[in-house]
Amino acid sequence: MTLPVGTTTGSPTTTHPRRQGSPVGRRVVLGMLGVGAVGVLVGRPAQEAIQSTVSATVPGLGAIVPAAGGFRIYTVTGGYPSMDPAAYRLEVGGTVNRTLSLSMQDIAALPQTQMTKDFQCVTGWRVDDVPWSGVLLRDILIAAGADSSATALRFFSFDGAYTESLTMAQSLREDVLVATTMYGKPLTREHGGPVRLYVAPMYGYKSIKWLSRIEVVDDVVPGYWEVRGYDIDAWVGASNGRNDEPIA
Ligand SMILES: Nc1nc2c(c(=O)[nH]1)N[C@H]1C(S)=C(S)[C@@H](COP(=O)(O)O)O[C@H]1N2
Ligand SMILES: [Mo]
């Protein structure tokens, strides 16, 4: 099976997979056509979220600070790391054709994607209709020439503590964003600026803040909360024993 570069994978508006899709077949290297080819992926419409579910917040995910709009600010290190955007680099490595070290300008030069979707924490709080923008993780993988037959990705934070994981199939979805803005403004330090992941269909713990490195690897390595008992496949409404409304 050939990875359908330049076509849609997954359908954020209608599908809600409970398990990862079938593995990509023979080895296919993403981005054989080069970075220019990803332009065809731009311009998909932003989607509106449907419904909110608000329930009692159960603390337990590290330091918690309430924030505007219903977000709680989480950090497992007890502080917020700071990063001069001019010094920031997003490293992309592992099983890729081209190791990348992307500055904010490099990221801005990649195809930009916007989406407006809810953010749901596994502890129960949900923020409706958050406008996000950045670069699809998929487009970064294409830019790096990632091997789409690799099984998984690992994500690292410059907070020095937090890590996350996704399968390759999950990473190629069109609702998984390397986010640089929220509500039309650069991501604040508290929300993970200058760059965080936003994994729309999954609980918030997948959306690693202060993202510093992406690695394409052969095995899923459970992330910070996953080694502490949370589900690795963190689909909203179909994991962690919860029945929240899926993120449309
Ligand atoms: N580096 C880092 N990323 C993180 C976390 C964290 O503690 N550290 N918490 C996660 C959890 S559990 C949630 S719900 C969201 C919260 O995002 P916010 O702090 O922007 O509200 O960030 C996720 N990403
Ligand atoms: Mo969370």
Side-chain angles (χ1 to χ4, degrees):
M1 175 180 126
T2 302
L3 187 101
V5 171
T7 66
T8 57
T9 55
S11 175
T13 59
T14 56
T15 62
H16 177 244
R18 283 167 185 266
R19 307 182 66 82
Q20 66 187 71
S22 52
V24 177
R26 61 189 168 81
R27 292 176 79 81
V28 177
V29 173
L30 288 164
M32 292 302 287
L33 300 177
V35 177
V38 301
V40 298
L41 297 174
V42 182
R44 59 192 66 75
Q47 296 297 327
E48 279 197 349
I50 294 175
Q51 187 177 337
S52 80
T53 302
V54 178
S55 59
T57 297
V58 180
L61 291 176
I64 298 171
V65 177
F71 275 90
R72 275 74 160 170
I73 304 293
Y74 287 149
T75 179
V76 298
T77 62
Y80 311 133
S82 66
M83 174 66 69
D84 177 0
Y88 177 81
R89 296 293 183 275
L90 174 59
E91 311 288 341
V92 185
T95 315
V96 297
N97 270 355
R98 294 175 288 277
T99 295
L100 302 180
S101 180
L102 301 173
S103 67
M104 293 304 289
Q105 284 151 311
D106 295 332
I107 293 171
L110 287 167
Q112 301 294 302
T113 296
Q114 305 179 20
M115 59 186 77
T116 298
K117 289 177 181 292
D118 298 358
F119 189 90
Q120 169 90 49
C121 174
V122 72
T123 60
W125 57 269
R126 183 171 181 131
V127 182
D128 293 346
D129 298 335
V130 182
W132 304 89
S133 78
V135 178
L136 286 181
L137 176 56
R138 168 191 171 84
D139 287 338
I140 287 180
L141 293 174
I142 289 170
D147 177 359
S148 70
S149 70
T151 308
L153 278 82
R154 296 191 73 190
F155 303 89
F156 299 87
S157 171
F158 60 79
D159 71 6
Y162 206 88
T163 58
E164 256 308 332
S165 69
L166 289 174
T167 67
M168 177 61 78
Q170 292 161 0
S171 300
L172 295 173
R173 290 174 59 102
E174 299 205 345
D175 54 2
V176 176
L177 191 67
V178 174
T180 54
T181 83
M182 230 176 81
Y183 296 112
K185 294 179 195 152
L187 268 181
T188 62
R189 180 186 181 195
E190 293 76 17
H191 282 299
V195 177
R196 79 180 295 169
L197 202 61
Y198 170 55
V199 183
M202 295 194 178
Y203 286 107
Y205 61 85
K206 302 300 285 194
S207 294
I208 182 173
K209 301 197 290 186
W210 308 298
L211 179 65
S212 59
R213 179 170 172 80
I214 300 170
E215 262 179 38
V216 180
V217 293
D218 284 331
D219 296 293
V220 171
V221 178
Y224 184 92
W225 286 117
E226 292 139 30
V227 299
R228 291 163 175 80
Y230 290 86
D231 288 348
I232 296 171
D233 289 330
W235 305 110
V236 173
S239 68
N240 294 291
R242 297 185 59 89
N243 63 355
D244 306 290
E245 184 73 15
I247 307 291

